[in-house]
Amino acid sequence: MIILAQSNCTFQLLGPEVSGKLSPPATGSAGLANTQIRNLYLWFQGIFGSTLCPNYDVYWYSLYSGSSSDYLGSLSFYGSQPRGGQNPKGLSQKITIPSHLSQVMASELSSLGSLSLTFKSQEMSLHTYSVVIDRVYLCHAD
C-alpha cells in the first residue's frame, strides 16, 4: 500500500453536505504521475458517531472538469460509537475508486497538489447527528 494523499484535519459530518481536501503526505508521491495507476481506494480511519447517523455518499470534484463531480461510493455508520475509553480507535472503512477514475485522480493530485472530496447525506433528519472521521487516505494498492 502506498499513501498518495491524506486529510490534514478531521472531517466532521454534520448536516447535508461537507467538503474537504486531501494532500500528498510530507514524504510526497513524486514519480507517480508517470506510473500506471489502477487500484486506488479511500481509507477512512477513526470513524466515531452513532448508528443513527445517516449514510453519506462520497464525491470527488475534479478541478480539471469544472464543477462536475464523480460518485465514489457510500459510507455507512452502522456499528459506529462515540469516542471513549471502550472505543479509542473507532471504525475503519474503505471505498474502492472506480478504475476509470484512478489515473485521472492520480494525475490531478500530481499536478495540482490536492483533491477535493464532498460528503452528502443520503437523507434529511429532524435530529442532528455528528460523525467524526479522524483521517482519510487515498491509497494505491501495489
Side-chain angles (χ1 to χ4, degrees), residues 36-115:
Q36 189 67 18
I37 304 276
R38 288 189 204 104
N39 302 319
L40 292 183
Y41 60 92
L42 288 170
W43 184 19
F44 302 86
Q45 282 190 322
I47 300 172
F48 301 95
S50 164
T51 57
L52 300 174
C53 296
N55 295 343
Y56 276 77
D57 291 328
V58 182
Y59 294 87
W60 167 54
Y61 280 87
S62 171
L63 297 178
Y64 283 148
S65 61
S67 62
S68 69
S69 64
D70 291 290
Y71 173 77
L72 300 177
S74 295
L75 290 174
S76 170
F77 304 109
Y78 181 77
S80 72
Q81 299 174 354
R83 185 184 317 260
Q86 295 180 351
N87 186 31
K89 293 185 179 182
L91 294 179
S92 178
Q93 291 187 42
K94 292 181 182 178
I95 292 178
T96 301
I97 305 296
S99 58
H100 69 280
L101 295 176
S102 291
Q103 190 66 46
V104 179
M105 288 179 80
S107 295
E108 184 166 310
L109 177 63
S110 178
S111 63
L112 298 177
S114 67
L115 295 174

